[in-house]
Amino acid sequence: MQQTAQHARERVHRASSDPTRERIVAAAIDLFSERSFEGASTRELAARAGVAQPLLNYHFRSKDDLWRAAADQLFAEMTQALDTRSAEVIADGDVAGAKAVIREFICFSARRPQLHRMITQESKADGPRMDYLVDRHVRPIYERTAQLLGTLVKAGAVPAIPVEHLYYIITGAGPTMFVHGPECRRLTALDPTDDAVIQAHADAVCLLLFGPHSAPAAA
Amino acid sequence: MQQTAQHARERVHRASSDPTRERIVAAAIDLFSERSFEGASTRELAARAGVAQPLLNYHFRSKDDLWRAAADQLFAEMTQALDTRSAEVIADGDVAGAKAVIREFICFSARRPQLHRMITQESKADGPRMDYLVDRHVRPIYERTAQLLGTLVKAGAVPAIPVEHLYYIITGAGPTMFVHGPECRRLTALDPTDDAVIQAHADAVCLLLFGPHSAPAAA
DNA sequence: CAAGAGTCTGATCAATTGATAAAACAATCT
DNA sequence: AGATTGTTTTATCAATTGATCAGACTCTTG
């Protein structure tokens, strides 16, 4: 069982850099988020990564396994972008810090709309992939976010809205423009990858949430 | 060319009620919005409609054609739900009326999350189906919505945010909870199909947009 | 009843899908 | 150089895909 041993390897030292494997995951992130799981064929995946199709099954047990690796990678990136800050913010109820976290969330969604694209694709109906997303990634994020939003409401920093609604308002209002990037480009004169547009969107969401109190661009 | 003649028929008298055809379109709306275009096989489509698979190609030229019929149906429903009101509201700058239109938009998104699910699926990357959606349905809606939002900003009814951003904030904040219905059910204790929850969400979005001015539940 | 148009199904098509097997290639160690 | 281990490719598999065709069924009309 040579294959099995290699798949074991794949799971053992994740940290070790494997450029080919990383190129495949990068291609998977793009294609899965654009075309959905079923819409992305392993052949096109491989072509975009510049490798032969069976190589996917060498580095990953199955197409599902590759999808999970792509999801893991995206959530790891978001965690890295938000975690250090948000953890301490929740602890001491720092409103300005919380605002910065929300801004960073919006900016991340603009930089990596693939994350929300993949979430959206699987959150519409129950299924094994939604199980994986919710149990492994989304629920912990939701719980901490709800806690953060609760402190903001209690502090009067944002209007008195139940945290469940606030959560879906923010995760909807923030990323949608960037998730629908190609559509936005056709409908409007704005370029959703332009940093000025991204900042303007973060300003807009924060203005609605926090009111016209502090400076639009927080550190 | 018997088939051709029948497909012509299909395009001629749309208004005429064809129960079988309608059942197929209804199944297509559900399955396409849940599983995406590629993820919905014609066999499962037919099974959900309770017919044999080749019947789809009898009533519709192709799978693409069926998809377009499903999209048309969804947009027709939304147009019917919003049009009468929104047209006159834009005309005379009726702020309370505009608020009611936005509330109705949110309620419609809760009743028929399939519409936004289909839009989201195709708006992530350019393609023939996005062409159809944008050119035929989304652009006209966007233009009128942008106009409506412009009057609201000018009247000072909502914060001074560029209409492009307002558009994506509203179309994100409003429907996302319902588009992600199954996920929401798992993350929270709320049932996104419960009318009280829907109204609470509309209240929340309107509170953020219009402030705590008028009564939460407008007519 | 017979004829015929319209509706629907079973059988089947070529093409594509994810996955596997076997072999070629590459790199390291002796 | 020869052997071994790890990586990648070519060839191929069974299964599923969307679509087509010929025939069966249903209904109205003559």
Side-chain angles (χ1 to χ4, degrees), chain A residues 64-82:
Chain A
D64 262 281
D65 197 36
L66 171 56
W67 181 90
R68 283 190 289 269
D72 290 348
Q73 163 77 16
L74 281 171
F75 276 95
E77 288 180 20
M78 190 171 80
T79 297
Q80 191 183 7
L82 295 182

Side-chain angles (χ1 to χ4, degrees), chain B residues 5 14 26 38 44 47 76 108 112 136 145 188 209 213 215:
Chain B
R14 286 255 170 142
E38 292 91 352
E44 191 166 357
F108 175 81
R112 294 244 91 182
R136 186 118 156 187
T145 306
T188 76
L209 279 175
H213 295 320

Side-chain angles (χ1 to χ4, degrees), chain A residues 40-43 53-54 57 62-63:
Chain A
S41 76
T42 56
R43 275 153 178 97
Q53 179 254 350
N57 284 94
S62 64
K63 190 186 177 185

Side-chain angles (χ1 to χ4, degrees), chain B residues 1 22 26 38 75 97 135 137 177 191 193 209 218:
Chain B
M1 295 288 113
E22 282 169 12
E38 292 91 352
F75 276 96
D135 295 344
H137 294 297
M177 173 180 241
D191 173 6
T193 62
L209 279 175

Side-chain angles (χ1 to χ4, degrees), chain A residues 207-208, chain B residues 153 156-162 166 208-210:
Chain A
L207 174 59
L208 286 176
Chain B
V153 169
V158 303
I161 293 171
L166 267 181
L208 286 176
L209 279 175
F210 297 96

Side-chain angles (χ1 to χ4, degrees), chain B residues 42-43 53 62-63:
Chain B
T42 56
R43 273 149 180 101
Q53 180 253 353
S62 65
K63 190 186 178 186

